[in-house]
């Protein structure tokens, strides 16, 4: 089939690459506009960089539903594929391809519609997640489901690690769905709206740890926020990031956020026990083990804020 691909971040790159290497024809790639970094250096999206490697036509719009209609009509694709593109698509654009617009979404819809579904699955303590291939509709991630691929979330798996695993499953699921569509065998199953949940885009402040929460909630936050925006507290007014940790059940009379050392390990009191800090980073320093952090800092009795 003749395909126009829409995507922007690293997550979408394996899917674009798989399409290029498949029997299908990629007519063009649509991605978010280039960004200016420090000293006016222009930064391309990861998808644009991949597209240029294959000499594909690259289209970029501030507002695709205003600027992109004529280009997309000119290309006349059989189907358009979106994968973390980052803009809302209008009904006029949805109507252009013969087979509509197909989306690669990193959750098991209808759960976790919206932004950051990978991170929120870990933050909320899910045991499973996956990829959903759906036909795009006007509502956010509300279209009919074509197929899903499920995977288990591993113990102590970071959002970054899960992101990488799901980005490799997306291409396989998409190519299978395209075959079904091309053969007229695709079944489009409406989502159960009663089970729909919506998640927002993560902000830096979402990483701030509330030590009055339960240990499992804090641990999930640490791994769900790794690598961005990272879970953090303040150690003597300095930004203190926690990259990895574990749960230590114990009864303590300390206030929440109280740091202490036991058996050469660093712990922080929370509502139902303690969190053992594994890998941390104090403002202005590199990531280090908690044992290395002990060597240069007075820890016992500090209350993280």
């Amino acid at each position: 089939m003749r395909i126009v691909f829409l995507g922007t971040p690293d997550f979408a790159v394996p899917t674009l690459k798989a399409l290029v290497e498949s029997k299908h024809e990629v007519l063009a790639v649509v991605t978010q506009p280039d960004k200016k970094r420090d000293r006016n250096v222009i930064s391309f999206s990861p998808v644009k960089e991949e597209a240029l490697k294959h000499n594909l036509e690259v289209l970029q719009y501030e507002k695709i539903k205003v600027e992109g209609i004529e280009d997309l009509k000119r290309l006349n694709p059989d189907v358009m594929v979106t994968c973390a593109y980052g803009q809302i698509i209008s009904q006029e654009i949805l109507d252009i391809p013969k087979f509509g617009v197909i989306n690669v979404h990193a959750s098991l819809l209808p759960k976790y519609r919206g932004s950051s579904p990978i991170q929120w699955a870990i933050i909320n303590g899910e045991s499973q997640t996956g990829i959903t291939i759906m036909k795009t509709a006007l509502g956010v991630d509300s279209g009919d489901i074509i197929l899903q691929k499920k995977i288990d979330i591993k113990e102590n798996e970071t959002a970054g690690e899960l992101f990488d695993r799901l980005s490799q499953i997306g291409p396989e699921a998409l190519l299978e769905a395209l075959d079904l569509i091309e053969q007229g065998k695709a079944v489009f199953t409406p989502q159960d709206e009663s089970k729909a949940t919506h998640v927002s885009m993560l902000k830096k402040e979402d990483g701030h740890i509330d030590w009055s929460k339960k240990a499992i909630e804090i641990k999930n936050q640490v791994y769900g926020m790794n690598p961005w925006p990272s879970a953090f507290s303040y150690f003597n007014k300095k930004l203190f990031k926690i990259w990895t940790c574990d749960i230590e059940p114990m009864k303590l009379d300390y206030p929440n956020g109280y740091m202490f050392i036991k058996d050469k390990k660093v712990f922080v009191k929370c509502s139902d026990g303690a969190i053992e800090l594994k890998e941390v980073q104090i403002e202005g320093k590199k990531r280090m083990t908690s044992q290395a952090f002990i060597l240069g800092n007075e820890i016992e009795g500090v209350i993280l804020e």
Side-chain angles (χ1 to χ4, degrees):
M1 288 193 287
R2 291 159 47 85
I3 296 172
V4 171
F5 181 81
L6 298 83
T8 299
D10 289 324
F11 181 81
V13 170
T15 299
L16 172 57
K17 188 175 180 182
L19 281 175
V20 171
E21 295 172 351
S22 73
K23 64 181 180 181
H24 303 289
E25 179 186 0
V26 180
L27 303 173
V29 170
V30 183
T31 190
Q32 293 279 49
D34 302 335
K35 293 183 178 180
K36 281 188 177 181
R37 302 296 185 187
D38 295 338
R39 300 178 183 176
N40 289 323
V41 174
I42 301 297
S43 174
F44 295 167
S45 75
V47 162
K48 180 174 179 177
E49 291 180 354
E50 183 67 23
L52 293 175
K53 291 178 185 177
H54 302 286
N55 298 313
L56 295 171
E57 179 179 359
V58 176
L59 303 171
Q60 297 172 277
Y61 311 106
E62 293 291 340
K63 292 185 178 180
I64 188 174
K65 58 186 178 181
V66 175
E67 308 161 44
I69 295 170
E70 293 308 314
D71 283 336
L72 296 171
K73 286 182 176 178
R74 166 181 61 83
L75 290 164
N76 190 29
D78 295 318
V79 66
M80 287 168 49
V81 173
T82 61
C83 184
Y85 170 51
Q87 288 193 37
I88 299 297
I89 296 175
S90 65
Q91 188 62 54
E92 187 172 4
I93 291 175
L94 293 176
D95 292 338
I96 291 173
K98 176 182 177 181
F99 295 108
V101 180
I102 305 303
N103 179 241
V104 182
H105 184 75
S107 82
L108 298 175
L109 292 171
K111 207 164 192 180
Y112 300 119
R113 293 176 179 177
S115 303
S116 310
I118 297 172
Q119 294 94 324
W120 283 108
I122 294 177
I123 293 167
N124 290 339
E126 299 289 350
S127 60
Q128 274 194 332
T129 187
I131 292 288
T132 298
I133 307 298
M134 53 165 280
K135 188 168 184 179
T136 303
L138 277 181
V140 176
D141 298 325
S142 61
D144 293 348
I145 294 170
I146 303 170
L147 62 83
Q148 293 183 318
K149 300 284 186 182
K150 297 181 181 181
I151 62 170
D152 292 332
I153 298 174
K154 299 177 182 179
E155 181 73 16
N156 295 343
E157 185 167 26
T158 68
E161 291 165 344
L162 184 56
F163 180 103
D164 289 342
R165 285 208 295 141
L166 287 171
S167 73
Q168 299 302 319
I169 295 169
E172 172 193 344
L174 173 65
L175 292 177
E176 184 178 334
L178 290 175
D179 283 346
L180 292 172
I181 292 168
E182 191 172 29
Q183 297 163 11
K185 296 179 179 179
V187 176
F188 297 88
T189 304
Q191 296 186 39
D192 184 345
E193 291 295 326
S194 69
K195 296 180 179 178
T197 60
H198 297 261
V199 290
S200 60
M201 184 177 294
L202 285 175
K203 305 178 292 296
K204 286 187 178 181
E205 53 265 34
D206 291 326
H208 196 175
I209 297 172
D210 177 356
W211 294 101
S212 68
K213 289 185 175 182
K214 293 181 178 180
I216 186 61
E217 294 177 294
I218 295 171
K219 181 183 176 183
N220 289 342
Q221 182 182 8
V222 167
Y223 285 93
M225 298 284 176
N226 184 339
W228 195 91
S230 74
F232 66 90
S233 231
Y234 290 95
F235 178 91
N236 291 334
K237 307 301 182 184
K238 289 186 176 182
L239 183 67
F240 183 65
K241 294 182 178 182
I242 299 170
W243 291 107
T244 59
C245 67
D246 214 336
I247 295 172
E248 183 67 27
M250 58 174 74
K251 292 185 178 180
L252 301 164
D253 292 329
Y254 302 139
N256 293 328
Y258 185 96
M259 298 183 76
F260 61 98
I261 298 172
K262 180 182 178 183
D263 299 327
K264 298 182 179 180
K265 298 176 182 179
V266 180
F267 297 90
V268 183
K269 166 71 168 60
C270 58
S271 69
D272 63 345
I275 289 289
E276 181 192 348
L277 306 187
K278 296 284 193 178
E279 190 178 13
V280 300
Q281 184 176 11
I282 189 72
E283 186 175 333
K285 301 290 185 179
K286 294 181 179 179
R287 290 167 65 160
M288 65 186 79
T289 64
S290 58
Q291 285 71 31
F293 184 68
I294 290 173
L295 298 177
N297 296 276
E298 291 292 332
I299 290 172
E300 191 76 35
V302 171
I303 297 179
L304 295 180
E305 299 176 346

